[in-house]
Amino acid sequence: MLGFLIFLLVGLGAVGAPLGLAWQPGQGNAPVAATAAEGPVPVRVLMPAPFVDATASLAARFNASHPGIRIELSRGPLDTEALSDLAVSSLVLGEAPYDVLMMDVSWTPKYAAAGFLEPLEPWLGDHALDPMLPGARAGNAFGGHLWRMPFSGDTALLYWRTDLMDAPPADTEALVRTARSLQKQGKVRWGYVWQGRQYEGLSCVMLEVLHGFGGRWWNPATGRTELDTAAARQATGWLSMLVRSGVTPPAVANFAENEALQLFAAGEAAFLRNWPYAWKLIEQEGGPVAGHVGVSPLPAAPGQAGGATLGTWGFSLPAHSPHPAEAVEVIRWLSGPEAQKELVLSQGYAPTWQSLYDDPDLQRRHPLLAVQRQSLELGALVRPLTPLYAQYSDVLQRQVNGVLSGSRSVELAMAEAQSQSTRVAEAIDPR
Amino acid sequence: MSLAPWLLMLPALLLLAAVYAGPLLRYAWLSGHASSVLTGLIPVPNDGANWQRLAGDARFWQDAFQTLRFAFLSVGLELLLGLAIALLLHRPMRGRGLLRAVTLLPWALPTTLMALGWRWILNDPYGPVNGLIQGLGGQPYGFLSTPATTWLATVVADVWKTTPFVALLLLAGLQSIPGDLEEAMQLEGASRWQILRRLTLPLLLPYLGLAVLFRLAQALGVFDLIQVLTGGGPGGSTESLAFYAYLQAMRFLDFGYGATVMLATFGLLLLLALAWLLTLRRLQGRQP
């Protein structure tokens, strides 16, 4: 019976570990709070580790000019979903170990519905987003409240080789034509690389391809997904065709951003779909394609407007923060035009402030700015604004990745994606 | 039966109850409630709707199949390889201490790092395995983008990491077998195979039983390896039950259903453990 007892303990530990996270206190990487009655109020900001390095000098400048507040940057995981896991496990405690959260655009409705956040409009007013470029405003408000102040306005972009073509393709058909002809001439091994792994990045790709073929993922009016439609089947069929015809390597079914970037930066692909950060990396690392990379908005099917997925970060105020006024000051500073200008220059992110797009100094020093603006104005696509987005995204990723890895037909996958999305929405509804 | 041993164990039992029974009871309570983003995370009793949902949830049953498939194959291979390694390391030879230490290295590596390593080793087209294939004139193969090879890759990674653990347990068992028994059998003219079958394996049985219990429990709860190596893909073909429970709770914030999946997984584990213990008892009963 001793064996059985051991089994019970190990088993419960092993099975329960992932879920048990939700009842554990936040990870130990939060700096210890200064509890002295005198001295500055500490405002702890949780962000992915690379952002900590990028914003360290901004925090230092704020601390120097605000003797009453001290920004403490907490290093979180780089992976977006891992950061969410850390934030969620601290938030379910009901007490905020962090005073400001750096949030992905796709989390806003979920976090707001869970009661994790404090609305920002009582602090920042009803017009806080007005000075932003219209495309960069989406994904911050939900259910009549402002939950997040954007800190970047990134959209996905098309990277192409200026040494292999004179201009970027006008639409998806031109992209495939150019890619095939370059492959036939032996100039590149692959035509177009993007993100097809079963993860959030594939949902981002799907959102823009769906719109690029005149479809949409989700109808805000009915609150239902629209995946079993002709347009959605065409969109998925296009991605599947890219893989089957050899324009895209079959390995794309396991590609995240970096795998796709590697292939393009090594000079083995004519086109790449990626976020703005890739441009800085390609140019700085000086590989075989450095100096030969053009960037433009993503193409859509002929006659379609299309658009590009918004993949932005922003700042939110957790509920029950012990010092919200100070936290809001920090949010105001870190999402403000001065901070954004510095980050655009050091990291290549797209800013959100209209004034920065009109800033001649920034235009000169950050050549990508015009394309970033163009992409935001052409059609910045925000992922479905519903608290059930994570479930919908999960369903779509599984089905489309199944198509890409060759184990499911397009028709079956889209029918399943639609019916499973509906089932999830019905099953979770408590009424 | 005397009361004294139980009294002595009481503090430890209370601690275990607090650490293990507490969460289990909480899961049980939560599984009877809707607690998701649609309830603002406030638990609302829902009359067993979570359990009804589980029964009709094809994804749960698919994941159960995938988890069992993973557990049986990886634990089976680990036993075979672990036994072979333990028998080798048990023999007196030069450098045995060093070899034993080296064998343990994979076990000492955190699973996350190990999984990242395998993800790189199997990378298509830049990983070393595909480098070798291309060097020999072949085409790179998508080990982690083909469902049939991806689940085998999870097994290989798990076997690579945890075989040393099984080997260590079995080695401890081998050392507890008195050497003169083997010598006596040798004198009587028994072959090596007869010694292994009639002496070593029966005496090793309690250790084998323990190794299977430990490994089965861990394999049925596999999470970190899946999270890092495959993310459940391609197309959900490597998703495990623990990963599904994690998605429900942490990603979807559906704590009610997440707790239900967790408990069901735990129930499955208990059933398998009982089955194994009964098998073990029968095997031991057959011994001379």
Side-chain angles (χ1 to χ4, degrees):
Chain A
M1 231 45 222
L2 177 68
F4 191 64
L5 192 62
I6 291 173
F7 184 82
L8 242 143
L9 301 186
V10 176
L12 188 62
V15 176
L19 195 61
L21 269 177
W23 284 280
Q24 281 167 9
Q27 308 286 312
N29 64 352
V32 178
T35 44
E38 306 295 317
V41 174
V43 171
R44 270 159 294 166
V45 186
L46 175 66
M47 44 170 74
F51 286 93
V52 172
D53 299 325
T55 49
S57 69
L58 287 169
R61 261 161 61 199
F62 178 91
N63 291 342
S65 60
H66 293 73
I69 309 176
R70 193 178 67 251
I71 300 182
E72 292 174 355
L73 303 174
S74 285
R75 287 174 183 275
L78 167 62
D79 178 72
T80 306
E81 296 310 325
L83 185 75
S84 178
D85 293 346
L86 176 56
V88 167
S89 37
S90 70
L91 287 164
V92 288
L93 288 176
E95 301 161 26
Y98 306 110
D99 304 290
V100 173
L101 291 177
M102 192 157 169
M103 301 252 305
D104 185 60
V105 62
S106 67
W107 305 344
T108 313
K110 179 170 79 177
Y111 276 48
F116 288 160
L117 305 179
E118 205 68 58
L120 287 171
E121 73 278 356
W123 303 92
L124 300 173
D126 290 333
H127 303 283
L129 294 177
D130 289 0
M132 314 272 164
L133 204 69
R137 290 178 200 165
N140 298 299
F142 170 73
H145 294 286
L146 177 66
W147 301 103
R148 174 180 177 271
M149 273 301 274
F151 149 88
S152 64
D154 281 0
T155 57
L157 298 166
L158 182 74
Y159 291 73
W160 49 282
R161 297 270 299 277
T162 53
D163 54 337
L164 299 179
M165 63 199 90
D166 301 325
D171 52 39
T172 47
E173 284 181 8
L175 183 144
V176 172
R177 254 197 326 272
T178 311
R180 277 207 181 121
S181 116
L182 287 169
Q183 283 177 282
K184 256 190 215 127
Q185 296 167 44
K187 297 218 170 126
V188 280
R189 171 97 172 77
W190 302 107
Y192 183 28
V193 288
W194 34 279
Q195 293 81 40
R197 185 175 165 86
Q198 183 182 323
Y199 83 125
E200 186 56 30
L202 177 56
S203 293
C204 294
V205 169
M206 271 308 291
L207 177 66
E208 59 213 15
V209 177
L210 280 166
H211 281 259
F213 281 82
R216 68 175 153 189
W217 185 345
W218 184 72
N219 184 344
T222 61
R224 294 286 187 209
T225 54
E226 294 185 352
L227 294 171
D228 201 10
T229 62
R233 282 188 292 271
Q234 272 171 23
T236 314
W238 186 66
L239 291 179
S240 162
M241 177 279 292
L242 288 176
V243 176
R244 280 199 326 272
S245 66
V247 170
T248 291
V252 81
N254 200 34
F255 276 9
E257 280 85 357
N258 282 339
E259 284 86 359
L261 175 59
Q262 265 173 359
L263 213 64
F264 182 79
E268 298 206 44
F271 299 104
L272 162 74
R273 179 248 181 232
N274 214 322
W275 306 99
Y277 83 95
W279 187 75
K280 271 260 184 266
L281 278 184
I282 294 170
E283 295 298 328
Q284 276 168 2
E285 309 215 330
V289 301
H292 304 293
V293 175
V295 183
S296 50
L298 286 166
Q304 296 292 346
T309 300
L310 264 178
T312 71
W313 288 96
F315 292 107
S316 293
L317 181 64
H320 318 299
S321 166
H323 18 251
E326 287 82 0
V328 169
E329 267 319 293
V330 172
I331 292 176
R332 215 192 283 269
W333 163 250
L334 288 177
S335 62
E338 210 181 324
Q340 281 194 12
K341 181 166 178 178
E342 201 165 309
L343 284 160
V344 171
L345 289 172
S346 67
Q347 313 294 316
Y349 306 131
T352 61
W353 294 80
Q354 180 109 37
S355 60
L356 289 178
Y357 286 95
D358 301 329
D359 177 352
D361 179 51
L362 196 59
Q363 285 170 354
R364 190 171 44 79
R365 292 165 69 193
H366 183 59
L368 217 57
L369 197 63
V371 175
Q372 287 176 326
R373 175 181 200 150
Q374 202 190 345
S375 180
L376 278 169
E377 284 172 347
L378 272 173
L381 305 173
V382 67
R383 281 162 267 174
L385 280 172
T386 152
L388 299 185
Y389 171 70
Q391 281 96 323
Y392 292 151
S393 172
D394 173 75
V395 163
L396 190 62
Q397 285 165 32
R398 285 165 65 91
Q399 294 301 328
V400 178
N401 184 260
V403 171
L404 299 178
S405 58
S407 56
R408 215 157 298 167
S409 76
V410 170
E411 289 70 25
L412 178 68
M414 296 325 276
E416 276 287 303
Q418 177 64 24
S419 68
Q420 286 183 14
S421 299
T422 309
R423 267 212 302 281
V424 161
E426 281 164 1
I428 196 179
D429 199 330
R431 280 162 298 164
Chain B
M1 195 165 57
S2 155
L3 203 63
W6 290 101
L7 279 175
L8 287 172
M9 282 198 297
L10 193 65
L13 287 176
L14 282 178
L15 185 72
L16 288 176
V19 174
Y20 288 100
L24 204 58
L25 287 174
R26 169 139 176 108
Y27 292 150
W29 181 81
L30 257 180
S31 75
H33 292 71
S35 172
S36 72
V37 283
L38 296 187
T39 69
L41 300 196
I42 296 158
V44 180
N46 67 352
D47 300 328
N50 286 330
W51 291 99
Q52 271 175 28
R53 179 178 169 191
L54 187 89
D57 185 353
R59 181 163 168 185
F60 172 81
W61 297 107
Q62 184 194 332
D63 289 351
F65 166 73
Q66 286 166 186
T67 308
L68 288 175
R69 183 177 69 170
F70 168 85
F72 287 149
L73 188 62
S74 59
V75 174
L77 287 174
E78 281 154 20
L79 275 188
L80 282 179
L81 289 173
L83 183 64
I85 291 172
L87 287 171
L88 276 176
L89 289 179
H90 185 53
R91 303 165 64 86
M93 59 178 143
R94 263 212 303 190
R96 187 170 68 167
L98 184 71
L99 266 181
R100 283 182 183 172
V102 170
T103 316
L104 257 183
L105 279 182
W107 173 248
L109 205 63
T111 309
T112 318
L113 286 184
M114 177 275 285
L116 270 179
W118 280 100
R119 197 171 149 184
W120 171 243
I121 290 169
L122 299 173
N123 180 293
D124 172 15
Y126 294 122
V129 174
N130 271 314
L132 198 68
I133 292 177
Q134 283 169 295
L136 296 171
Q139 286 292 320
Y141 187 77
F143 293 103
L144 296 178
S145 45
T146 316
T149 49
T150 307
W151 86 268
L152 288 173
T154 61
V155 170
V156 168
D158 192 67
V159 168
W160 182 82
K161 180 177 156 65
T162 40
T163 298
F165 171 75
V166 176
L168 193 74
L169 261 183
L170 298 185
L171 187 60
L174 286 176
Q175 311 226 314
S176 73
I177 301 174
D180 40 3
L181 288 180
E182 191 178 328
E183 278 168 30
M185 274 186 86
Q186 269 172 343
L187 282 177
E188 308 242 353
S191 70
R192 273 184 190 282
W193 173 244
Q194 280 173 321
I195 295 176
L196 182 69
R197 271 225 41 204
R198 308 261 163 152
L199 174 77
T200 315
L201 281 183
L203 287 178
L204 210 52
L205 202 58
Y207 295 88
L208 282 168
L210 198 63
V212 168
L213 278 179
F214 267 119
R215 286 300 310 130
L216 206 58
Q218 284 180 332
L220 287 172
V222 65
F223 170 75
D224 38 5
L225 174 68
I226 302 297
Q227 159 90 318
V228 178
L229 187 62
T230 69
S237 61
T238 58
E239 185 170 278
S240 67
L241 287 169
F243 193 81
Y244 189 39
Y246 151 85
L247 281 182
Q248 290 294 344
M250 301 299 288
R251 200 69 66 76
F252 307 159
L253 303 183
D254 191 343
F255 291 102
Y257 194 56
T260 312
V261 174
M262 232 293 303
L263 269 185
T265 308
F266 186 62
L268 189 73
L269 231 138
L270 286 186
L271 281 180
L272 278 173
L274 275 175
W276 171 244
L277 285 171
L278 289 177
T279 316
L280 208 62
R281 186 163 294 176
R282 268 190 46 205
L283 284 174
Q284 272 169 334
R286 246 196 288 163
Q287 274 173 48

